[in-house]
Amino acid sequence: MDDALEPIQLNPEELLVLAALLRWIVMADGVLSDAELEALAAVPHRVGMPEDRWLALSTRALRVYPNAQVAEEAAVGLRRRPARELVYELLYDLARSDGFDDAEWDVLERLSESWRAAHG
């Protein structure tokens, strides 16, 4: 099988950062819409994790990354490009699910710029 067709598997650190960032994207505009709930419900399947494990990981992520700034700083440390791309895609899909808000777009832009500066 062609490696390019293999789905990216996020490691535990990448998953933890993703879970935190998803939370902070939702909180960026202060509204949890039905569309966002639907997008969030799809995440465990998209990362290949049972829902109960994802929920536990999400809860842990909030303790490890208690605010958006800490989560974004941790995201800069994601070294694998395919992992960064998947994290960005999932964040983008969540933000887009109910229409982009400026605060959500700002998070996406900061991540993109930080990754470009740190990883080229």
Side-chain angles (χ1 to χ4, degrees), residues 76 84 88 108-120:
V76 174
R84 290 192 310 268
Y88 189 91
L108 293 169
E109 284 185 330
R110 281 193 306 272
L111 282 174
S112 181
E113 290 169 9
S114 296
W115 284 333
R116 218 177 359 265
H119 306 288

Side-chain angles (χ1 to χ4, degrees), residues 8 14 24 42 59 75 88:
I8 179 67
E14 294 161 347
W24 299 115
T59 301
Y88 189 91

Side-chain angles (χ1 to χ4, degrees), residues 33-43:
S33 69
D34 289 341
E36 286 175 325
L37 282 171
E38 191 174 309
L40 286 170
V43 171

Side-chain angles (χ1 to χ4, degrees), residues 80-93:
R80 296 185 315 134
R81 183 181 180 146
R84 290 192 310 268
E85 290 172 351
L86 179 57
V87 166
Y88 189 91
E89 176 184 326
L90 292 168
L91 294 171
Y92 183 93
D93 288 350

Side-chain angles (χ1 to χ4, degrees), residues 3 8 25 27 33 45 50 55 57 65 72 77 82 90 95 105 111:
D3 286 338
I8 179 67
I25 282 281
M27 294 183 69
S33 69
H45 172 74
L55 181 59
L57 178 81
Y65 305 114
E72 288 179 35
L90 292 168
W105 191 250
L111 282 174

